[in-house]
Amino acid sequence: MINVAVLGYGTVGSGVVEVIEKNKAEINKKSGEELNVKYILDLRDFPGDPYESKVVHDVNVILDDPEVAIICETMGGIRPAYDFSKQALLKGKSVCTSNKELVANHGPELLRLARENKCNYLFEASVGGGIPIIRPINYSLTAEKIDAVTGILNGTTNYILSKMAAEGVDFEEVLKEAQEKGYAERNPEADVEGYDACRKIAILSSLMTGKNVKYEDIYTEGITKITAADFVYAKALGRSIKLLAMSREAEDGSFYAMVAPFMIPVSHPLHGVNGVFNAVFVHGNMLGDSMYYGRGAGKLPTASAVVSDVVDCARHIGKTIMCFWDDEDVKQTPVDDIRHRFFVRTKAEAERKAVDIFGMMRVVVADVKGEYAFITEEMSEKEFAEKAEQLGCVLNRIRLEG
Ligand code: HSE
């Protein structure tokens, strides 16, 4: 029997217990041993809950119990999750987490501790919820040089943008409705400003490069400035607007990651990813394109990913599964030097000035009054910002991908 403890009996933590119980036969067979949830750590009591008797309030009960081999950290946030994870790994207990913030901030250190103590720090659920993406990058695509990862990594913003596209309504209105339905947090900043997607692409980029991609260095722009009018133009162009989290490594070793809204064509594999769904599009130099799609959030999908890590830990007691994510920070190309084409909206009277400043451009005709819209040639962010400042009346601009 392998004993497991769950830290945090919230949405994901209770999902972990539910998955282990419901799929007991499958999970035990695949683990090669019976898994037993011995403790649940939470500050609260849960009278009437079937697992009430397993609830403890002191983490040391778990850390000091030599029978506990695997810990599911589903608390979220940095502290105390960081301290608890560290202490567990130092005692040779494997940790499986859904905590992207902790993984993005302390991944290399916690992985090193796992190696030094012959256990594992696994984080499949930290990116893309229930979608297997960490394991494919770590185990399956090991013959590849992965040079591009492009993801829709946030369900809240994808739900909002999909609704805006379908119904022609503005951001604020859809956000309100999403909050009412529970698809968006009451404080939606981490999602709508792109911070959540930023942590997730930092994790994927670190696995892609094998070094540490600091999320603080990733240019991040959210969706709060996207309007219903932008979607009118996107439709006229046969495109949609998606919050993409991307990273690219060129042959010369230069690397950048970015989170921002992009206009993507119907032919782009991420175009059809709508609602709360997530998807990650990976390019390898031998395989070419592959894509991973599914539920990026939610109790059971996320818990299923945590439990898949528990099974992996159970199969590797006393052994560390290789994961290449070194301490060394990746040098990221400054955002000024990143190149894209840009869709630009300006006032109708600025047409002449826009043509003078931007030169070659494609005019975009759509049913929006009093505006002049165009697509630039590919240029650097710096060049674009300088030209936009010269023009002076840019109503909005959205990068193009594909
Ligand atoms: N807030 C996140 C999302 C949850 O909307 O995708 C999963 O990390």
Side-chain angles (χ1 to χ4, degrees):
M1 181 189 283
I2 295 177
N3 286 296
V4 177
V6 177
L7 310 189
Y9 202 40
T11 307
V12 180
S14 59
V16 166
V17 177
E18 191 177 332
V19 170
I20 292 178
E21 179 56 33
K22 211 167 191 161
N23 285 350
K24 202 187 318 189
E26 282 290 312
I27 290 166
N28 290 346
K29 192 167 77 187
K30 288 169 187 164
S31 301
E33 284 231 37
E34 188 186 333
L35 297 184
N36 172 51
V37 177
K38 186 165 182 185
Y39 301 110
I40 296 165
L41 179 79
D42 207 285
L43 290 172
R44 300 162 293 178
D45 284 310
F46 296 87
D49 186 279
Y51 301 95
E52 183 186 358
S53 63
K54 296 180 189 269
V55 175
V56 295
H57 304 303
D58 178 3
V59 74
N60 291 312
V61 173
I62 296 167
L63 295 173
D64 293 340
D65 185 340
E67 286 189 350
V68 174
I70 303 169
I71 285 177
C72 301
E73 185 273 294
T74 51
M75 310 175 77
I78 302 285
R79 287 225 140 80
Y82 171 59
D83 309 284
F84 293 175
S85 301
K86 227 169 133 169
Q87 288 168 47
L89 294 168
L90 284 166
K91 286 178 180 264
K93 298 180 193 304
S94 290
V95 177
C96 308
T97 187
S98 55
N99 189 339
K100 65 215 150 201
E101 215 188 331
L102 183 57
V103 178
N105 272 282
H106 296 286
E109 182 196 356
L110 296 170
L111 283 165
R112 181 173 46 73
L113 284 179
R115 273 196 305 276
E116 287 169 4
N117 292 281
K118 296 193 172 48
C119 55
N120 284 289
Y121 185 65
L122 301 184
F123 44 90
E124 182 60 72
S126 66
V127 180
I131 309 173
I133 182 61
I134 304 291
R135 207 166 273 110
I137 291 181
N138 249 352
Y139 295 3
S140 313
L141 302 178
T142 42
E144 292 295 315
K145 170 77 195 147
I146 298 173
D147 48 30
V149 173
T150 313
I152 292 176
L153 296 178
N154 182 268
T156 304
T157 46
N158 203 45
Y159 172 84
I160 293 173
L161 292 174
S162 303
K163 269 263 181 195
M164 288 174 75
E167 295 173 11
V169 280
D170 264 317
F171 169 77
E172 292 297 342
E173 196 178 318
V174 186
L175 173 64
K176 201 163 158 272
E177 189 208 314
Q179 284 171 315
E180 280 160 11
K181 285 191 171 159
Y183 291 147
E185 304 274 349
R186 223 169 302 152
N187 178 359
E189 192 187 9
D191 292 315
V192 300
E193 297 294 358
Y195 307 149
D196 174 81
C198 170
R199 266 72 172 167
K200 291 169 177 170
I201 196 67
I203 295 169
L204 295 183
S205 305
S206 298
L207 296 176
M208 165 182 164
T209 59
K211 295 182 189 155
N212 190 43
V213 174
K214 284 172 76 178
Y215 72 85
E216 300 95 320
D217 294 346
I218 297 176
Y219 176 83
T220 300
E221 193 179 300
I223 64 164
T224 55
K225 294 194 182 102
I226 303 295
T227 64
D230 293 321
F231 278 100
V232 175
Y233 286 109
K235 270 195 190 133
L237 284 164
R239 287 179 176 255
S240 191
I241 303 169
K242 298 287 185 191
L243 183 70
L244 297 187
M246 56 168 65
S247 52
R248 302 279 183 269
E249 189 170 8
E251 274 183 18
D252 63 6
S254 61
F255 171 90
Y256 78 83
M258 175 181 242
V259 176
F262 279 81
M263 276 192 180
I264 60 172
V266 181
S267 56
H268 195 291
L270 294 173
H271 186 277
V273 177
N274 287 313
V276 294
F277 280 85
N278 282 196
V280 191
F281 186 49
V282 177
H283 185 269
N285 65 343
M286 297 291 125
L287 169 70
D289 294 330
S290 59
M291 191 156 126
Y292 310 83
Y293 170 86
R295 291 195 179 274
K299 177 176 171 167
L300 293 176
T302 309
S304 170
V306 175
V307 178
S308 76
D309 282 345
V310 173
V311 172
D312 231 356
C313 289
R315 288 171 170 179
H316 294 91
I317 296 283
K319 274 185 253 155
T320 306
I321 300 162
M322 291 301 283
C323 177
F324 296 98
W325 181 349
D326 292 345
D327 282 312
E328 188 192 336
D329 291 334
V330 172
K331 189 173 177 305
Q332 299 191 38
T333 302
V335 64
D336 275 353
D337 298 339
I338 300 173
R339 296 177 70 81
H340 283 111
R341 286 187 294 154
F342 294 82
F343 161 76
V344 186
R345 285 168 53 205
T346 184
K347 289 185 181 148
E349 54 270 28
E351 175 177 351
R352 202 174 183 84
K353 200 173 169 190
V355 174
D356 287 346
I357 294 168
F358 281 91
M360 281 288 285
M361 56 168 69
R362 174 182 165 191
V363 177
V364 183
V365 180
D367 191 15
V368 180
K369 298 219 165 19
E371 292 190 7
Y372 178 70
F374 59 95
I375 292 172
T376 70
E377 293 198 294
E378 187 182 291
M379 61 180 69
S380 70
E381 293 275 343
K382 184 166 191 266
E383 196 184 345
F384 176 79
E386 285 166 0
K387 286 181 191 288
E389 198 182 331
Q390 243 180 300
L391 180 59
C393 53
V394 170
L395 300 170
N396 204 1
R397 52 88 180 108
I398 301 172
R399 296 166 186 87
L400 264 73
E401 171 71 2

